[in-house]
Amino acid sequence: MPRIRNLTREQRRGEDGFDLHQKIIVRERERRISLIKIGGLLYEIKKQQLFKDILGDEQAKWSAYLSQTEIMFSRHKVKYLLQIHSYFILQRQISPEELARYPLSRIIEIIKYANSDEKINSLLQVAAVALPQDWRDTINELRGKIPSEDCNHLFENIKVCENCGKKVKQ
């Protein structure tokens, strides 16, 4: 029989908030695993050109398959999912469950800049815990740029059209 606790309103809100937060963490992990696995499925469909059979057209293009409403992934996103599958799953033998510990955008940056197993492992450790600015500084260092705290920040003024969103430097 569950124990009944007399909680204040504030304590109850804290527990409710924490429970919801834990559910979000679980769902985000499931989403990441699912996307990584979808990348593997897309890899096989593209590699074997099965999209032509799926679409029933030997002249069909990969982009036509991706634009189906059931799929509707941008080519850009699919490119990243394919890279993750090829590099981390096939070459490095890292499971989708392990990769799901890291934001996918950071995994992509690791592919771009890591050139050794040691560097990959180091970047994965940072990717798991770094705050956004710390991660940007890590990547900037790999790109040969200085950390934001050491920068004199030369900003450019940009005007944005309210009607269409076009950007123009001032």
Side-chain angles (χ1 to χ4, degrees):
M1 184 172 195
R3 208 166 55 141
I4 299 175
R5 299 188 302 172
N6 292 325
L7 300 176
T8 66
R9 182 176 183 274
E10 188 175 286
Q11 289 171 324
R12 199 169 32 257
R13 284 180 53 83
E15 284 198 6
D16 290 348
F18 185 76
D19 288 345
L20 292 172
H21 177 70
Q22 290 303 309
K23 288 177 182 177
I24 290 170
I25 290 171
V26 168
R27 296 303 180 274
E28 174 59 16
R29 179 169 170 71
E30 290 169 351
R31 183 188 74 84
R32 289 177 185 177
I33 291 169
S34 180
L35 276 173
I36 292 166
K37 287 181 176 181
I38 287 170
L41 298 172
L42 290 168
Y43 179 89
E44 288 303 320
I45 288 172
K46 184 175 184 185
K47 178 181 169 189
Q48 297 178 42
Q49 295 196 357
L50 296 173
F51 60 90
K52 294 178 179 186
D53 300 301
I54 294 166
L55 296 173
D57 179 2
E58 278 301 311
Q59 302 303 314
K61 304 251 188 256
W62 175 239
S63 60
Y65 172 74
L66 297 177
S67 67
Q68 293 183 101
T69 56
E70 302 90 4
I71 308 296
M72 201 53 82
F73 282 124
S74 70
R75 286 183 297 189
H76 188 72
K77 184 170 197 154
V78 169
K79 174 185 161 192
Y80 288 147
L81 292 174
L82 294 175
Q83 285 178 336
I84 289 170
H85 181 76
S86 177
Y87 190 75
F88 284 104
I89 306 291
L90 296 180
Q91 291 180 33
R92 302 278 177 203
Q93 300 292 307
I94 299 175
S95 72
E97 292 74 19
E98 172 66 19
L99 284 176
R101 294 180 48 216
Y102 316 102
L104 296 181
S105 61
R106 292 183 179 185
I107 292 173
I108 291 301
E109 289 180 307
I110 291 170
I111 292 171
K112 290 179 188 174
Y113 298 108
N115 51 13
S116 68
D117 286 342
E118 183 180 321
K119 186 54 116 175
I120 291 166
N121 293 334
S122 169
L123 287 172
L124 285 173
Q125 288 176 357
V126 174
V129 297
L131 295 173
Q133 186 59 56
D134 295 333
W135 180 253
R136 279 192 296 277
D137 285 344
T138 299
I139 295 303
N140 280 343
E141 181 181 323
L142 292 172
R143 295 171 57 209
K145 298 191 178 237
I146 60 175
S148 60
E149 62 203 28
D150 297 338
C151 184
N152 292 329
H153 301 299
L154 301 172
F155 293 104
E156 296 181 40
N157 289 326
I158 298 175
K159 288 171 44 175
V160 180
C161 175
E162 292 179 16
N163 295 326
C164 70
K166 182 176 179 178
K167 297 177 183 177
V168 179
K169 291 181 184 177
Q170 290 182 325

